[in-house]
Amino acid sequence: MSKLVIVGTVAFDAIETPFGKTDKILGGAATYIGLSASNFNVDSAAVSVVGGDFPQDYLDLLKNRNIDIEGIEIVNEGKTFFWSGKYHNDMNSRDTLVTELNVLEHFNPVVPDSYKDSDVVMLGNLHPLVQQGVLDQMSKKPKLAILDTMNFWMDIALDDLLSVIKNVDVITINDEEARQLSGEYSLVVAARKIHEMGPKYVVIKKGEHGALLFHNGNVFYAPALPLEEVFDPTGAGDTFAGGFAGYLAKTGDFSFENMKTAVIYGSTLASFCVEKFGTERMQNLTDKEIYKRLDQFKSLTQFDIELT
């Protein structure tokens, strides 16, 4: 089994959707990625920063899911990163109401010594220089480096982003971000241009419309499972990334064929995330529930056809 390093935010979120609203709850990219990856019993570590206001119960939750928290710096005199957002009725678009960087503003990640030889590195959505800083700390080149980013970094730190993209194997972004990064509307052409920037694999997330995996002219599509109820899309993309990275770390097989399965696992776990507010659904997810939903995915996508 490969070791997995996860870098990203551990944060507070306050969320409002058409189905209700929350006060400050547990959030952050590294949190969602870690909880998702923990379903594969991988040896993982989270690298992040929180303030003195961050509850010990939340740290214990991560530890109890076998996520090493040595790399989570606690700045006792500081405040934890906070984000608040309100989703529109279509649940695909949202307005950011509050963003307080707090301790994240001066965050310098420190990878624990015991994880500097990790085979898989999952770079959550942070400033590209922070992402590169993690790669620079690794004692050997990871077998698989996965990067997630967003249009904000394309707007304010494009050169830094392009620099770190050269050093990763997989990039995961949504369709809007893929179009912005590549300057192309067609996702097939966009993926090809992003592939030329460095990554061997390009994963384009399309929310409720699934995800696309591109590699050397080959394309794989995984639909999103149709759900009766979607309460909160927050963290779904990070949960997808955690399932994707966790499965690959568990199997140690980084071929295109195995990445297809990783995409399915990522989509499956993301389908649970949206069923409750924040991380609530991911905290007590069971193997039985996951396997049942994987079977639903199989039924959704498999068919026999006679070509004549």
Side-chain angles (χ1 to χ4, degrees), residues 128 131-132 147 149 153-154 157-168 171 181-182 193-194 197-199:
Q131 294 174 321
Q132 184 61 55
L147 178 144
T149 192
W153 305 120
M154 298 173 201
L158 181 60
D159 289 344
D160 294 329
L161 178 59
L162 292 174
S163 180
V164 72
I165 283 175
K166 292 177 183 176
N167 299 322
V168 301
I171 183 171
L181 184 59
S182 66
K193 286 208 169 181
I194 296 169
M197 296 174 188

Side-chain angles (χ1 to χ4, degrees), residues 92 102 165 216 241 263 305:
N92 287 319
N102 297 328
I165 283 175
N216 282 347
V263 168
I305 186 169

Side-chain angles (χ1 to χ4, degrees), residues 33-240:
I33 293 167
L35 290 174
S36 184
S38 71
N39 290 287
F40 302 94
N41 297 315
V42 294
D43 184 3
S44 66
V47 177
S48 191
V49 62
V50 296
D53 57 345
F54 196 74
Q56 183 63 42
D57 286 351
Y58 286 166
L59 293 171
D60 291 342
L61 168 66
L62 299 177
K63 283 176 66 175
N64 292 338
R65 293 302 294 259
N66 295 318
I67 301 166
D68 190 302
I69 61 170
E70 182 187 346
I72 299 180
E73 178 188 359
I74 301 173
V75 182
N76 288 317
E77 67 277 13
K79 288 186 175 183
T80 302
F81 174 71
F82 172 61
W83 175 85
S84 176
K86 180 178 181 178
Y87 286 87
H88 299 177
N89 287 334
D90 65 1
M91 298 290 274
N92 287 319
S93 53
R94 69 187 183 195
D95 297 322
T96 292
L97 305 178
V98 179
T99 301
E100 297 175 2
L101 290 177
N102 297 328
V103 293
L104 191 66
E105 187 172 2
H106 303 292
F107 173 46
N108 290 308
V110 178
V111 179
D113 288 341
S114 56
Y115 287 88
K116 287 183 177 178
D117 61 348
S118 296
D119 290 324
V120 181
V121 176
M122 177 67 232
L123 301 170
N125 176 28
L126 285 171
H127 194 291
L129 291 178
V130 174
Q131 294 174 321
Q132 184 61 55
V134 170
L135 291 178
D136 291 342
Q137 291 178 54
M138 304 307 289
S139 60
K140 65 175 185 178
K141 181 177 170 58
K143 292 181 180 177
L144 192 75
I146 308 165
L147 178 144
D148 189 30
T149 192
M150 66 182 298
N151 45 17
F152 179 71
W153 305 120
M154 298 173 201
D155 291 336
I156 72 162
L158 181 60
D159 289 344
D160 294 329
L161 178 59
L162 292 174
S163 180
V164 72
I165 283 175
K166 292 177 183 176
N167 299 322
V168 301
D169 304 288
V170 184
I171 183 171
T172 68
I173 51 178
N174 68 29
D175 45 0
E176 176 190 350
E177 293 155 355
R179 290 181 171 119
Q180 179 173 341
L181 184 59
S182 66
E184 298 288 345
Y185 183 81
S186 162
L187 293 180
V188 175
V189 179
R192 185 166 64 242
K193 286 208 169 181
I194 296 169
H195 175 68
E196 291 168 357
M197 296 174 188
K200 303 180 188 74
Y201 300 92
V202 178
V203 178
I204 299 179
K205 300 169 290 186
K206 292 170 58 64
E208 63 177 331
H209 302 297
L212 291 156
L213 170 67
F214 296 87
H215 172 65
N216 282 347
N218 297 309
V219 185
F220 174 71
Y221 169 70
L225 193 70
L227 298 170
E228 288 188 18
E229 295 180 311
V230 176
F231 275 88
D232 174 21
T234 308
D238 294 316
T239 301
F240 171 94

